[in-house]
Amino acid sequence: MDEIRNEIMNIEKSAEKLKTLAKDNNAIRKNAEIILTFLYILKFITPATD
Amino acid sequence: MEFWNPYTETLPREKLEKIEFSYFQNLLSYAKANSQLYKDKLKGINIDDIKVFEDIKKIPFTYKEELRKWQEDVDPFPYGGLLGIDIANVSSFRQTSGTTGKPVYVPESYESWQWRVESWCHILYMAGFRPRHRVFLPFGYNVYVAFWEAHYAAEKLGCEVVPGGALDTKGRVNKIIELKANAMCGTPTYLLNIAQEAASMGIDPKSLGIERALGAGEPLPEATRKRIEETYNCKMYDHIGSTETCGFAGMCEAQQGLHIVEPFFLVELLDKDTLSKEVSEGELGVIVITPLGRRSFPVIRFNTNDVAIKGPSTCECGRTSLKLMEIVGRVDDISKIRGVLFSPKTVEQLIRSEFPEIVEYELVVTREDIMDKITLRIEADPKLNKDEAGEVAKRLGERHKIKTNLSCKVVVEPQGTLPRYDLKAKRFKDMRGKH
C-alpha cells in the first residue's frame, strides 16, 4: 500500500502542476481539477494505518 | 469472497477505528472553519481537546431541525449555513422529501458527489453487481437523491445502466424485456408491483431474467426479501441511507445484516434512553452518523432517529465492518409509506389550508398484499352537489401527491359517516400489520 500511496502523491503533484500550467485553458484546467477530485477519493480509500 | 476495496474492507477493527477517528478530527476542523452551522455549534469546543476516540461524545448531536433552521433566511441561498464550500463549486442540487416539514436542500460539489458514489460502489459490489449486469433503474429522476447514487455507482462499477424514468410500470416491464436487463434497484414494494404488472400482462416475472436486485427507501423484512427472490428467481439485497447521510450500509452475499461502509462513515449506535452509551451486540441503538469525507455539506454526529440492532463485526464474507442486523424503525411516529417518509400533519395542513369545503376527513393506511395503500376519506360541505364534491376529491388527490410524493385514493363519504372528536382527534389510522 505504501507504493500505491507514493504513486498517488506523484500524480497529485503532476495534476497540480497541470492545473497551474493550464490556468488560461478552461478545458485542460477543469480536467486537471477532476483528476484532483479522484485523487482526493484515492487518498481517502488508502489511509495509512500507523 | 470478492471485495470492492479489499484493503479497507478487511482492516482489523482497531485500525478502522483509528482511521475513522483521524478523519473525524479532520472533519471537525474543516467544518468549524467552513460551515456556519458548525462555526456556531462548535464555538465552545476546542478541537485539540478531542484527543481519543471516546472524546467524540463531547461533540453535540446534529438534528434535522437544525439543518432546516440553518437554511431559513441564511445566505447563501438556498443552502444557507449548511454549505461547507464556496457556492460556485456546487455542482448538483438534491433535497429531502420534506414530508416531515420544510425540505432540506443538499449541496453537492463534484468531489462530494463522487465521494458518495464511491461509497455506493461498495454497496452495489457487496450485493454482487458486476460489469456483466445491465441495471434497470425504475425511478423518476428528479430532485430526490434516491437511486441517483445507484446510477452513478453502477456506471463506475462498469455495469451498463438503463435509466427507467418517465415510463409507467407497463412501459418499464416492456423495457426490461426489450433490453434484457438483468439487475434492478427499487423500493421493495415497487419491485413487487413491477412483477404484478408483468403477471397481468401474461408475463412470468421469472422469465424477465433479473438476476439480482437492490432494495432502498423502505424496510425490507426478510419475508419480503425472500418473496422478491422467489418472484423473480433472483438474489435480493438491502441497503440503508438518506439524503443527509448518503447510503451508508449494505448487505453482502451472506445476506445477514447490513455492513457499514467504513471508513466512509463513523456510525455510533447509542442507547436510546441516554444517547450516551454505545450499545452491545444484539441490543437496540439509535443510529448516529458522521459522513467522514463529504466537505460540501458537513454533517457531524447526525442523529437519524432510526433504531437498529447492533450486529457482530465478523461475517462469513470476511468484511470487518460493523453490522446492523435489523433496522427496527424510527424513534418518532413518522411513518414510511412506499419508501417515502410521511407525516399525517402534512395532510392536515393541506386540508386545513387549501380545502375549506372539506368538513371532516380520515386517513387510512393499509397493506394490500404487501403494497401500502393510502385512502383519504372525506366529507364535503353539504352544500356541494355530487359533481362538485367529486371535483374537490380529485383536486385533493392531486395536491396530496404533490405535497407528500405519494398517491392516494380519495373517497367522498356521506354526511355523518366519519367520527367527530371533541378532544384529541385520531384521523390517522395505520392499519398495516393489523389484519
Side-chain angles (χ1 to χ4, degrees):
Chain A
M1 199 49 68
D2 285 345
E3 199 176 351
I4 287 174
R5 281 191 210 102
N6 286 338
E7 200 54 39
I8 292 168
M9 300 303 283
N10 290 338
I11 300 170
E12 188 174 31
K13 279 180 201 158
S14 294
E16 289 285 6
K17 187 172 178 184
L18 188 60
K19 188 178 159 186
T20 307
L21 288 170
K23 64 180 187 299
D24 298 323
N25 185 314
N26 291 322
I28 298 171
R29 194 190 67 247
K30 177 49 77 177
N31 278 287
E33 285 171 1
I34 286 171
I35 293 171
L36 288 165
T37 291
F38 286 101
L39 287 164
Y40 171 75
I41 293 166
L42 277 167
K43 287 194 284 184
F44 194 89
I45 64 176
T46 56
T49 57
D50 28 86
Chain B
M1 286 287 180
E2 295 176 317
F3 304 99
W4 176 244
N5 185 345
Y7 172 61
T8 51
E9 289 178 87
T10 58
L11 276 173
R13 290 245 25 102
E14 63 273 17
K15 289 192 173 179
L16 272 174
E17 284 173 11
K18 192 175 167 190
I19 292 161
E20 286 163 21
F21 180 63
S22 163
Y23 284 168
F24 187 88
Q25 286 176 307
N26 291 344
L27 183 72
L28 272 185
S29 301
Y30 182 86
K32 193 168 183 179
N34 294 282
S35 153
Q36 292 179 67
L37 164 62
Y38 289 105
K39 266 178 204 164
D40 182 73
K41 205 171 171 65
L42 302 175
K43 64 187 169 196
I45 293 171
N46 183 354
I47 290 172
D48 292 337
D49 289 342
I50 310 300
K51 289 176 181 158
V52 293
F53 199 89
E54 289 66 35
D55 291 339
I56 286 171
K57 293 188 172 38
K58 294 177 183 171
I59 305 299
F61 297 123
T62 300
Y63 293 95
K64 190 161 188 155
E65 273 309 312
E66 281 177 282
L67 302 183
R68 289 195 182 108
K69 183 189 143 205
W70 278 89
Q71 281 192 333
E72 282 174 10
D73 304 322
V74 180
D75 287 329
F77 177 84
Y79 306 111
L82 309 186
L83 194 62
I85 54 172
D86 188 320
I87 197 163
N89 292 324
V90 176
S91 62
S92 60
F93 168 92
R94 310 276 183 239
Q95 68 167 73
T96 61
S97 61
T99 48
T100 61
K102 197 173 184 301
V104 176
Y105 300 143
V106 176
E108 299 290 354
S109 64
Y110 191 79
E111 173 198 282
S112 293
W113 182 251
Q114 292 304 327
W115 184 88
R116 285 183 85 130
V117 168
E118 182 63 26
S119 169
W120 249 84
C121 284
H122 291 72
I123 291 168
L124 285 177
Y125 198 88
M126 73 175 113
F129 284 64
R130 297 290 185 274
R132 68 174 182 277
H133 289 119
R134 181 171 291 142
V135 183
F136 189 75
L137 293 177
F139 84 101
Y141 284 73
N142 54 28
V143 293
Y144 307 117
V145 79
F147 298 112
W148 281 107
E149 289 165 314
H151 181 120
Y152 283 89
E155 279 187 358
K156 189 171 183 179
L157 240 63
C159 302
E160 178 184 345
V161 179
V162 181
L167 290 170
D168 61 13
T169 306
K170 189 175 178 182
R172 285 169 174 160
V173 171
N174 284 327
K175 191 58 76 179
I176 290 167
I177 294 167
E178 178 192 339
L179 295 174
K180 297 181 178 165
N182 55 8
M184 270 204 291
C185 296
T187 62
T189 48
Y190 192 65
L191 294 178
L192 284 161
N193 199 14
I194 289 176
Q196 284 170 350
E197 186 68 34
S200 74
M201 294 160 68
I203 298 159
D204 180 355
K206 290 186 177 68
S207 72
L208 292 173
I210 299 297
E211 288 175 20
R212 63 188 60 231
L214 182 78
E218 61 187 17
L220 180 61
E222 188 61 7
T224 307
R225 195 184 66 71
K226 284 186 172 162
R227 181 162 172 187
I228 293 170
E229 290 193 330
E230 286 161 13
T231 302
Y232 285 98
N233 191 26
C234 74
K235 299 285 277 179
M236 177 73 195
Y237 298 87
D238 196 10
H239 104 284
I240 182 171
S242 72
T243 312
E244 298 93 335
T245 62
C246 318
F248 64 87
M251 185 178 265
C252 71
E253 295 276 10
Q255 297 180 309
Q256 290 166 352
L258 304 177
H259 286 276
I260 304 294
V261 182
E262 296 185 85
F264 281 68
F265 302 93
L266 176 66
V267 173
E268 302 164 73
L269 273 177
L270 302 178
D271 171 73
K272 67 185 174 60
D273 296 322
T274 64
L275 287 177
S276 62
K277 194 182 74 164
E278 185 79 20
V279 299
S280 303
E281 184 183 330
E283 291 181 344
L284 278 174
V286 176
I287 306 173
V288 174
I289 305 179
T290 305
L292 293 167
R294 190 171 55 157
R295 297 191 284 198
S296 64
F297 177 56
V299 181
I300 298 168
R301 299 196 83 208
F302 184 68
N303 186 327
T304 64
N305 244 5
D306 279 324
V307 180
I309 296 173
K310 187 172 185 173
S313 56
T314 56
C315 181
E316 63 185 71
C317 74
R319 288 178 179 82
T320 50
S321 52
L322 179 69
K323 274 168 80 174
L324 306 175
M325 294 311 289
E326 187 184 341
I327 312 301
V328 176
R330 295 184 78 81
V331 174
D332 56 24
D333 62 355
I334 301 302
S335 306
K336 240 185 183 180
I337 299 176
R338 298 200 293 268
V340 177
L341 282 178
F342 177 80
S343 168
K345 196 176 166 188
T346 308
V347 179
E348 178 154 2
Q349 283 170 340
L350 171 66
I351 290 175
R352 298 299 182 216
S353 63
E354 297 184 27
F355 292 88
E357 57 275 71
I358 293 174
V359 295
E360 189 55 84
Y361 77 96
E362 187 177 76
L363 195 55
V364 185
V365 181
T366 52
R367 183 162 287 159
E368 293 178 23
D369 198 359
I370 57 161
M371 187 74 171
D372 294 337
K373 303 268 185 190
I374 305 173
T375 303
L376 198 41
R377 303 172 69 206
I378 63 168
E379 280 183 33
D381 186 322
K383 286 185 285 220
L384 301 185
N385 65 34
K386 193 179 172 188
D387 288 346
E388 288 167 333
E391 184 55 37
V392 169
K394 181 171 175 283
R395 194 158 47 87
L396 177 60
E398 290 166 353
R399 290 294 296 143
H400 183 277
K401 169 80 179 169
I402 290 167
K403 292 293 268 188
T404 66
N405 210 28
L406 288 163
S407 54
C408 73
K409 180 181 175 186
V410 183
V411 179
V412 182
E413 300 284 6
Q415 289 300 311
T417 307
L418 299 175
R420 284 0 187 217
Y421 300 95
D422 292 328
L423 294 169
K424 206 168 184 174
K426 292 179 183 171
R427 295 191 176 88
F428 179 59
K429 294 183 176 170
D430 190 344
M431 309 300 284
R432 292 174 292 179
K434 292 186 179 169
H435 294 290

